Amino acid sequence: MLASVEQSPSLFHDVQFVCVGDTPARMYKFAGYCMELLKISAPVGLGVADLCGAHARFVLYKVGPVLIASHGVGNSNMSILLNELFKLLHYGKAKKAIRFLRIGISTGVGVRPGTTVITQHVYNASMQSFYEQHILGHAVFRPAVLDQNMVQDLLFHASSVNIHFPVIVGNTLCTSGYFEEQARLDGAFCDYSHLEKVKHLQNCQQTHSIRNMDMESLSFAALTHFVNISAASISVVIQNGMIDEPLFEAPNASDVEEWESRPQRLAGEYIRYELRKKLDQQLTKLEIPKYTNAVKKTTLREKNIPEKPFSSDLSRLQIMKQELDKLAHKIHLKSK
């Protein structure tokens, strides 16, 4: 992955959003969804292409200004992916104002399946918001911080006419394992009772406002914050952890497939809006030179300083009008 970036840095210089998720299959679907949402067409017969190639640890897709990758299961896999992505974006000469989004699935804590949770704060198993690493034999604690402006923006887009499912903001408990660490009763080992499980999860919910559990958000929040990148995490609840697993009635496959698409659709709404906003800002900037140039001319005349030779005013206005028309056309296409 990294070698290809060093050979062609222009491939990644325009990246504005990086979206990561657990499985290659879900990220492939999200890449196709982004192509449709952003009206980006691939060359005939190619479709969505994995930039990592076959037999790689992760998959990597690029859809216009959106980079999409899978991270696997657990904080260690997330850490590996983020290190590779940070290097890729650095050598690819990407702009600094990049935003990261994690989209995935989770276990709910008193939350109904199908609910999408926007994470406000991430806690480790000790109910502290930092990611612990051991480097050269020493424990290193990195704060796990998500961008609260992105949290509020995502919540705003949850009210979009295109979003027809429940979305809440809550805290996430990030565990180092799936079974005992998440107080499940269906693992190979279980040294606690049903009552102890319920008491623990109720304490998480009531004391720390925990609404869901996952295994990746802690390293995601800590490492993006460590390199000063804005990031947010969105995940859908597949199962309410308050209900005992043997009593849990598994949803049908079609329901699960639709639930899994919900974080993707919310992320898509956010990305599309932000790209439109940037186009509007570029359009506004193009109108500023008219005023700036007029002020410059007035100042020169007042000081009796001859102006430098320029093309005719008519030619400059015609060129500017063409640029404005092009941007207006782009905005029109995006609004369809």
Side-chain angles (χ1 to χ4, degrees):
M1 181 195 302
L2 188 58
S4 65
V5 175
E6 291 172 337
Q7 294 167 5
S8 55
S10 61
L11 181 61
F12 297 97
H13 78 282
D14 63 337
V15 172
Q16 299 179 45
F17 297 93
V18 178
C19 298
V20 298
D22 46 9
T23 69
R26 292 191 186 110
M27 293 301 97
Y28 176 79
K29 289 182 180 179
F30 183 59
Y33 174 69
C34 284
M35 289 187 71
E36 179 182 351
L37 185 71
L38 302 179
K39 311 298 182 188
I40 295 175
S41 57
V44 177
L46 290 182
V48 178
D50 179 10
L51 300 178
C52 284
H55 311 298
R57 181 187 295 268
F58 309 109
V59 296
L60 183 70
Y61 304 107
K62 186 174 185 295
V63 180
V66 184
L67 196 62
I68 300 164
S70 64
H71 57 62
V73 178
N75 282 313
S76 57
N77 277 324
M78 174 66 82
S79 174
I80 294 170
L81 174 69
L82 290 179
N83 271 272
E84 294 293 347
L85 287 177
F86 295 157
K87 291 189 293 182
L88 182 150
L89 294 170
H90 171 73
Y91 287 110
K93 302 186 185 302
K95 298 176 181 178
K96 292 184 179 180
I98 296 177
R99 282 164 280 187
F100 273 56
L101 284 164
R102 179 190 171 272
I103 50 180
I105 63 173
S106 62
T107 299
V109 179
V111 175
R112 294 182 59 183
T115 303
T116 296
V117 179
I118 304 169
T119 300
Q120 186 166 30
H121 302 291
V122 186
Y123 292 98
N124 61 19
S126 300
M127 296 301 169
Q128 297 173 311
S129 290
F130 61 77
Y131 176 49
E132 181 177 352
Q133 296 177 275
H134 289 82
I135 303 172
L136 299 179
H138 301 285
V140 176
F141 304 95
R142 288 178 171 160
V145 181
L146 295 168
D147 189 308
Q148 296 305 307
N149 289 327
M150 289 183 68
V151 170
Q152 295 304 316
D153 289 343
L154 286 165
L155 183 60
F156 169 78
H157 291 295
S159 61
S160 165
V161 294
N162 298 319
I163 304 299
H164 307 288
F165 48 83
V167 179
I168 63 172
V169 172
N171 296 333
T172 297
L173 173 63
C174 184
T175 64
S176 59
Y178 179 67
F179 288 99
E180 293 172 292
E181 291 85 352
Q182 294 191 8
R184 297 179 66 89
L185 302 176
D186 58 346
F189 312 102
C190 184
D191 297 327
Y192 44 85
S193 67
H194 163 76
L195 185 61
E196 289 173 318
K197 163 192 169 164
V198 171
K199 184 178 179 180
H200 168 68
L201 293 181
Q202 285 179 341
N203 179 63
C204 291
Q205 182 184 37
Q206 296 169 8
T207 306
H208 302 284
S209 300
I210 302 294
R211 295 295 177 263
N212 64 334
M213 298 180 285
D214 67 21
M215 297 170 60
E216 299 85 22
S217 59
L218 196 66
S219 57
F220 174 75
L223 296 182
T224 51
H225 177 68
F226 184 67
V227 295
N228 296 317
I229 288 178
S230 297
S233 180
I234 319 166
S235 57
V236 67
V237 169
I238 299 298
Q239 175 188 354
N240 182 1
M242 288 285 198
I243 301 175
D244 287 347
E245 293 75 26
L247 302 177
F248 176 68
E249 184 178 350
N252 59 56
S254 61
D255 284 340
V256 173
E257 185 176 2
E258 195 275 325
W259 293 345
E260 290 175 353
S261 73
R262 292 179 176 183
Q264 299 182 8
R265 285 150 59 190
L266 180 56
E269 282 294 315
Y270 172 76
I271 291 170
R272 180 170 61 175
Y273 175 85
E274 291 298 316
L275 290 176
R276 281 181 179 174
K277 185 169 72 172
K278 188 166 185 179
L279 278 177
D280 288 341
Q281 291 171 348
Q282 290 174 342
L283 181 61
T284 303
K285 286 180 180 178
L286 269 184
E287 295 172 347
I288 293 174
K290 293 181 181 180
Y291 171 77
T292 306
N293 199 35
V295 172
K296 180 180 178 181
K297 282 188 174 185
T298 303
T299 305
L300 290 172
R301 286 170 185 156
E302 288 174 352
K303 295 182 179 180
N304 295 318
I305 300 174
E307 295 182 37
K308 294 180 180 179
F310 288 103
S311 301
S312 67
D313 287 343
L314 180 60
S315 297
R316 291 202 304 276
L317 288 173
Q318 287 174 340
I319 293 171
M320 186 171 290
K321 184 178 184 302
Q322 290 173 0
E323 293 297 325
L324 290 171
D325 289 343
K326 287 179 183 178
L327 279 173
H329 181 63
K330 287 182 181 179
I331 294 172
H332 175 70
L333 290 177
K334 296 290 183 183
S335 63
K336 286 186 178 180

